[in-house]
Amino acid sequence: MGLGLVESGKMPKPLSKLLNLSRSYSMWVYQWGLACCALEMGAAFGAPRYDVMRLGVIPFPASPRQADLVVISGTVTDKMAPAIKRLYEQMPDPKYVISMGSCANCGGPYWDSYSVTKGVDQIIPVDVYVPGCPPRPEALLEGVVLLQQRIKDEDIGARWRGEPIVVE
Amino acid sequence: MSSSDTPDTDVTEAEAVEVDELREGVVARLREVLGDGVVEHHIVPNCDVWIRIRPDAWQAAASSVRYTLGARQFGFLSAIDWQPSPWRRYMDSEVDKAVHGDEPKPLPEMTTGYAGGETRFQVFARVANIIEHWGVTLKVDAGDTDPAVDTWTKVYAGADWHERETWEMFGVRFEGHPFLRNIYLPSGFEGNPLRKDYPLLSRFTKPWPGIVDVEPMPGTDEEPSSEEGA
Amino acid sequence: MTAVSDRQKLAYLAGQAADARVNVELETEGMVLNIGPQHPATHGTLRIVARLDGEQVVQAEPIMGYMHRGYEKLTEVRTYAQITALINRIDWVGSFANEVPFILAAERLMGIEAPPRAQWIRTILFEMGRMANIILFLGDMGIQVGALTPMFYAFRDREFILNQIEAVTGGRFHPNFDRIGGLKDDLPKGWIEDSHTAMAKVREICDIMEDVLLGAEIFEARTRGVGVIPPDVAMQFGLSGANARASGIDWDLRRDTDVGLPYGQVDWKVWTHPDGDSFARYWVRLQETREASLIVDQLLDTIPSGPVMAKVPRIIKVPEGEAYVATENPLGEMGFYVVSKGDLNPFRVKIKTASFNNLSITPWLLRGVYVPDIITILGSLYFILGDLDR
């Protein structure tokens, strides 16, 4: 039932709403913690105070092949960039990326360094940018909530066909 | 207060010069062992001591300082490129204009620091004696165009990684090192980043965005002016 | 209290070496195991290439640089105020502790002394940074060995200290609070009482960790006698901090050097352990955390009143000279060698970090060790990637 409807683009609205809702509340987050933002991500995801599991997001997948969301937190260097690209390619569709912290957004305080990639969106497509240096755990949780809203408004057919995601 | 080799003590200053016996003793003992391998020294009293070594006595200095003087704790080893950078701070912010003036100034001459130096590249290392509680910075001239010094790995095994880092950042070769190769930079990296003639290209392509957020100095009631925090 | 006698230590080392020799003679094929750069057990982006023979390591080498951001080049184009904002990201867990040696070096070159209240508060925040850092280690070491629960305790209890640091500086672990000549601001009202409560909580978590991990048989079995570092080798490689003290070297920069911080006016002791194995390193760090909370308690009771900032010119140009100041940071000895030419920005800043020296011993240390012990040893040496790669 499901796949034929998605491919032909004739997915009925209630069904697509239900699927989007269930997808957004059952995400598995792979924490790609590189630098200082990894601590705030650890506090947001693993610590009891800023618990992310109450949003339905489980932060403990065993490998990137079992994750739908990756949070890239910390400075991306030119030496590390191929590993990030390979990680992104390992994730199965539909996959989402949250870029956390100003180093991953745009190079951050190291914008003029000779060994830093100025922003992870030079390598992989990013869905949500969370600014801050480091962003508070609550800011990261807001980023996750924002992503969940976007997923709820998504058109599954368009995503399957590979069309660019439109943000209203 | 410096007590370097060149005799330039003022009569009035001589009365105010403190004598740091511990560090003077260190220099004297090193001079006993190395003779004229010790070229120059500089002492900031009750603070620190810098000793410049002749290049062919660099390895001998390492063993003397470790075994005879007892400085067994290895600190670090790195290099300095004394040539001033042709681009200074790459920008004319308000602070630079206020300090240096509007007209482009000529490049300053190359000067070296404490305990002198004759070449563009200098390798310096820090070791400490943790029983008598003193540390010493040893410097050696490495050369102008193809800098090279002897290795310290035979005396301090920890110098291995420091010399690798100095090699990839400055291009200073270490004779006798087991295997000089990249430690921080990816293998295809071209150039030696910490040399002063290696430009930071991001600063050329995008100028400094300017003052975004200003805070006044604590304790003053002044209005924050554009000269703050450039 | 030596649980592992010298004879036992030598027997362990000799046994490992003999095993390695036999395996080489038998000419068994080695396997190359690549751990990292993204791996939950390596504290970040460190890659270890280990050539194995069966379960034993014949040769292991860490490959770093995945977090190299070029600090020393960046400091050459930034003013001193901008550098202060940048360097607290070197050891990103030990917040305030990164700024202190650089500011002290700049103050030494300028000939300025910060007022006593500023030095007191600096030391308090420094020790809080130490506690935040080491509490993370206490939990993290559990994960390396396989115990998941201490990590949650650690994260929960770090929050108390981070709250205190945030109340003063506004940032949880990148405070950017130190200025040449003093501090940015004074303490908020009620901070001292709250900090006393936080220190009591720190002592509680130390007691919990002592029961849960140090008293656990599995932890002892996995860490006693593993990764023994003799003191002479430790000094040769430049090990510092708790790693050196766990090998019996009685050296603590807070007690042995005088950089202006008021450690001499507080009653505290330096903890050492003669064994030099992973258990000793964990034990020393635990005792140090408790000691740090006692230091902070005493300092909080004796803060002098007065200004927090000395008179400094508005545009800071540091006079010509060189200075090296090193302090006892949570990871070890962190020092800044500042070369100044009298300009707005320094001429060269050499950042000596503890993790670089601490990790340089691993090619020597990991020979003949079993694969699970690699993780234990790296965990007990405790390095932070920002500190390692700069």
Side-chain angles (χ1 to χ4, degrees):
Chain A
M1 169 180 90
L3 222 50
L5 282 174
V6 169
E7 271 174 342
S8 58
K10 292 207 236 53
M11 174 83 92
K13 262 249 160 101
L15 189 62
S16 111
K17 250 180 111 74
L18 176 68
L19 285 177
N20 281 346
L21 201 70
S22 5
R23 260 194 319 133
S24 68
Y25 287 136
S26 63
M27 284 198 293
W28 283 66
V29 182
Y30 190 71
Q31 312 172 23
W32 183 271
L34 293 164
C36 349
C37 284
L39 285 177
E40 290 291 36
M41 187 174 64
F45 284 1
R49 185 179 282 208
Y50 305 105
D51 186 24
V52 80
M53 290 212 219
R54 53 189 159 138
L55 302 173
V57 175
I58 314 282
F60 302 120
S63 81
R65 291 207 185 267
Q66 300 169 357
D68 352 51
L69 169 63
V70 66
V71 175
I72 306 219
S73 52
T75 321
V76 179
T77 54
D78 290 337
K79 200 168 179 182
M80 193 67 183
I84 295 185
K85 180 94 177 123
R86 219 177 309 150
L87 161 80
Y88 182 73
E89 285 162 4
Q90 277 183 344
M91 287 168 66
D93 266 325
K95 49 193 172 186
Y96 304 93
V97 176
I98 291 184
S99 153
M100 174 186 178
S102 48
C103 287
N105 289 347
C106 62
Y110 310 102
W111 64 282
D112 51 349
S113 168
Y114 50 84
S115 63
V116 166
T117 309
K118 324 283 189 280
V120 79
D121 51 4
Q122 292 190 353
I123 318 172
I124 58 182
V126 174
D127 289 297
V128 173
Y129 297 87
V130 180
C133 189
R136 278 200 66 110
E138 292 102 329
L140 180 61
L141 295 182
E142 183 184 344
V144 172
V145 168
L146 203 65
L147 183 68
Q148 284 177 332
Q149 280 171 357
R150 280 191 61 187
I151 298 179
K152 281 188 252 192
D153 300 329
E154 224 174 36
D155 184 356
I156 300 189
R159 202 179 169 100
W160 179 263
R161 284 190 297 272
E163 283 166 17
I165 302 176
V166 173
V167 183
E168 287 104 37
Chain B
M1 309 279 184
S2 81
S3 39
S4 63
D5 274 356
T6 54
D8 58 4
T9 47
D10 241 356
V11 173
T12 46
E13 268 188 23
E15 294 150 17
V17 165
E18 312 165 41
V19 172
D20 188 345
E21 283 179 11
L22 174 67
R23 292 180 173 88
E24 298 273 8
V26 167
V27 178
R29 273 186 296 166
L30 195 62
R31 219 181 265 282
E32 261 176 44
V33 181
L34 289 181
D36 58 347
V38 175
V39 178
E40 228 182 292
H41 71 275
H42 178 105
I43 298 187
V44 174
N46 294 325
C47 210
D48 220 342
V49 57
W50 283 260
I51 303 180
R52 183 156 71 97
I53 309 283
R54 216 179 52 214
D56 53 358
W58 184 235
Q59 216 165 22
S63 2
S64 339
V65 105
R66 181 172 180 212
Y67 296 115
T68 319
L69 294 182
R72 307 186 78 92
Q73 177 77 18
F74 179 69
F76 63 85
L77 189 147
S78 187
I80 308 183
D81 178 355
W82 285 110
Q83 178 184 303
S85 160
W87 303 287
R88 269 203 205 86
R89 289 183 70 219
Y90 294 84
M91 58 199 178
D92 308 312
S93 73
E94 295 304 317
V95 180
D96 296 275
K97 287 205 180 87
V99 167
H100 294 295
D102 264 332
E103 313 87 42
K105 288 185 74 181
L107 205 58
E109 293 231 338
M110 180 176 102
T111 54
T112 51
Y114 287 173
E118 280 133 30
T119 58
R120 176 182 164 193
F121 289 99
Q122 242 187 5
V123 170
F124 68 108
R126 175 120 188 139
V127 290
N129 182 329
I130 61 180
I131 304 186
E132 298 169 19
H133 304 310
W134 52 264
V136 63
T137 309
L138 296 170
K139 292 187 176 188
V140 70
D141 290 330
D144 282 309
T145 43
D146 188 24
V149 291
D150 289 326
T151 181
W152 265 27
T153 46
K154 298 189 180 37
V155 182
Y156 290 100
D160 183 353
W161 279 17
H162 293 256
E163 290 178 353
R164 271 172 69 190
E165 188 202 341
T166 314
W167 176 78
E168 75 169 351
M169 290 290 163
F170 286 94
V172 178
R173 270 181 308 115
F174 288 91
E175 318 281 1
H177 191 278
F179 192 6
L180 274 181
R181 61 195 187 285
N182 278 8
I183 194 170
Y184 276 156
L185 302 171
S187 36
F189 202 91
E190 288 169 11
N192 302 105
L194 276 177
R195 289 194 178 190
K196 293 287 194 211
D197 46 4
Y198 185 94
L200 285 175
L201 292 173
S202 304
R203 291 218 168 207
F204 284 127
T205 53
K206 187 180 166 76
W208 183 249
I211 319 292
V212 188
D213 203 39
V214 183
E215 54 161 278
M217 287 288 281
T220 65
D221 292 327
E222 296 180 11
E223 284 290 319
S225 79
S226 61
E227 287 176 41
E228 299 269 9
Chain C
M1 45 165 283
T2 310
V4 179
S5 71
D6 276 332
R7 223 185 134 67
Q8 277 175 302
K9 271 187 258 184
L10 281 175
Y12 174 78
L13 286 170
Q16 302 283 45
D19 272 348
R21 246 179 281 134
V22 163
N23 289 335
V24 165
E25 279 164 9
L26 287 178
E27 288 189 27
T28 47
E29 279 263 325
M31 171 184 126
V32 174
L33 178 70
N34 183 26
I35 307 178
Q38 168 64 356
H39 188 91
T42 60
H43 292 273
T45 53
L46 178 70
R47 180 173 165 213
I48 301 167
V49 177
R51 186 182 305 277
L52 299 179
D53 188 19
E55 185 77 356
Q56 272 185 326
V57 172
V58 171
Q59 185 197 8
E61 192 184 327
I63 298 182
M64 320 173 293
Y66 291 96
M67 195 43 63
H68 179 68
R69 299 174 277 199
Y71 264 93
E72 297 180 5
K73 187 80 177 174
L74 293 183
T75 54
E76 288 173 12
V77 292
R78 280 165 169 67
T79 58
Y80 285 84
Q82 292 172 326
I83 296 178
T84 317
L86 198 66
I87 52 174
N88 40 34
R89 288 149 174 88
I90 296 182
D91 168 15
W92 51 66
V93 203
S95 59
F96 194 78
N98 302 302
E99 305 172 13
V100 171
F102 177 72
I103 294 286
L104 290 176
E107 283 180 358
R108 185 185 283 182
L109 283 175
M110 285 185 85
I112 294 180
E113 242 193 64
R117 189 176 169 86
Q119 302 281 45
W120 245 256
I121 300 177
R122 265 183 196 164
T123 317
I124 292 175
L125 288 174
F126 193 98
E127 292 297 318
M128 282 193 170
R130 182 192 310 278
M131 282 184 275
N133 195 338
I134 304 296
I135 290 182
L136 185 72
F137 163 78
L138 296 179
D140 190 63
M141 183 71 179
I143 287 199
Q144 311 295 333
V145 172
L148 293 178
T149 321
M151 191 54 157
F152 294 107
Y153 283 133
F155 263 116
R156 178 197 69 185
D157 287 315
R158 272 185 82 225
E159 295 287 331
F160 296 116
I161 302 180
L162 292 180
N163 275 353
Q164 292 307 109
I165 298 183
E166 191 185 4
V168 186
T169 68
R172 274 151 61 98
F173 38 81
H174 292 321
N176 190 12
F177 197 60
D178 221 350
R179 301 279 183 272
I180 295 184
L183 296 170
K184 172 173 175 282
D185 252 327
D186 212 332
L187 299 174
K189 192 173 167 169
W191 191 79
I192 299 186
E193 291 81 42
D194 284 339
S195 299
H196 277 300
T197 326
M199 294 302 114
K201 287 253 186 319
V202 167
R203 285 191 278 278
E204 256 180 52
I205 181 72
C206 285
D207 291 334
I208 291 178
M209 289 298 180
E210 228 173 359
D211 272 336
V212 165
L213 276 182
L214 281 185
E217 273 181 41
I218 302 182
F219 187 80
E220 279 201 46
R222 281 205 65 171
T223 53
R224 278 218 193 264
V226 170
V228 176
I229 305 180
D232 196 47
V233 175
M235 289 213 273
Q236 244 198 9
F237 279 96
L239 250 57
S240 52
N243 293 332
R245 284 195 283 282
S247 291
I249 303 173
D250 187 13
W251 181 49
D252 190 323
L253 284 167
R254 296 175 283 179
R255 181 196 60 189
D256 296 337
T257 59
D258 180 26
V259 287
L261 299 176
Y263 285 107
Q265 315 199 12
V266 177
D267 198 17
W268 61 286
K269 74 174 269 205
V270 174
W271 294 87
T272 60
H273 196 287
D275 271 349
D277 55 9
S278 307
F279 187 86
R281 292 191 272 276
Y282 190 91
W283 188 88
V284 166
R285 287 199 174 94
L286 192 106
Q287 309 305 323
E288 280 184 357
T289 314
R290 206 181 275 138
E291 199 68 34
S293 72
L294 296 173
I295 294 179
V296 171
D297 265 338
Q298 291 178 51
L299 286 174
L300 285 171
D301 291 331
T302 56
I303 295 189
S305 52
V308 283
M309 188 81 182
K311 260 218 155 301
V312 248
R314 217 169 39 164
I315 297 179
I316 294 196
K317 287 175 66 170
V318 172
E320 218 172 303
E322 300 177 24
Y324 177 72
V325 172
T327 52
E328 182 78 22
N329 274 42
L331 293 175
E333 175 202 354
M334 180 183 206
F336 282 81
Y337 187 94
V338 180
V339 177
S340 162
K341 291 262 177 203
D343 211 351
L344 285 169
N345 50 321
F347 186 76
R348 163 110 169 90
V349 174
K350 161 74 187 165
I351 309 175
K352 183 240 182 229
T353 51
S355 305
F356 195 60
N357 286 359
N358 285 350
L359 204 68
S360 65
I361 203 175
T362 40
W364 179 89
L365 189 59
L366 287 181
R367 283 182 315 209
V369 148
Y370 293 109
V371 170
D373 288 343
I374 299 180
I375 310 295
T376 314
I377 291 176
L378 287 178
S380 72
L381 282 178
Y382 195 46
F383 49 89
I384 295 281
L385 257 298
D387 205 49
L388 178 65
D389 281 344
R390 269 177 275 126

